[in-house]
Amino acid sequence: SSRNVLDITEDTGLIPRACVDLFLSAKQKCCNGEINVEFSYLEIYNEEINDLLSHHHQRTGGSSSNNKLKIRETYTNEVYV
């Protein structure tokens, strides 16, 4: 049997649920049917931040030294990577 991407079961994880909610919300708010979405999937391991979706990330070595991600904070105390 085929499954629809919107089929949410009790076994469905957090990320698929978030994606469904994101696209349903965008569909309701978007007037021309076009939307641009960017994702990051971050891991903190051994005090290093890795974007697991980046093509620079390698499972064995993580980010190269010149591609290291850093946590930043704005003057209004908003945190971003």
Side-chain angles (χ1 to χ4, degrees):
S1 73
S2 64
R3 291 192 51 177
N4 187 318
V5 73
L6 299 179
D7 289 342
I8 300 293
T9 67
E10 64 183 53
D11 294 331
T12 303
L14 177 64
I15 293 174
R17 287 175 188 263
C19 290
V20 167
D21 287 346
L22 172 72
F23 287 110
L24 287 176
S25 176
K27 184 178 180 180
Q28 292 172 353
K29 294 178 182 178
C30 191
C31 58
N32 65 359
E34 192 171 310
I35 185 169
N36 182 26
V37 177
E38 294 182 27
F39 286 93
S40 292
Y41 189 43
L42 303 177
E43 164 194 64
I44 300 174
Y45 182 74
N46 286 340
E47 299 183 17
E48 286 191 17
I49 302 171
N50 298 305
D51 183 348
L52 299 179
L53 299 178
S54 170
H55 65 278
H56 295 291
H57 177 78
Q58 299 174 1
R59 284 262 178 223
T60 57
S63 300
S64 65
S65 60
N66 54 352
N67 288 326
K68 287 191 177 188
L69 300 173
K70 296 181 181 178
I71 295 177
R72 307 273 188 201
E73 189 172 350
T74 67
Y75 67 93
T76 58
N77 297 327
E78 295 172 338
V79 178
Y80 66 97
V81 177

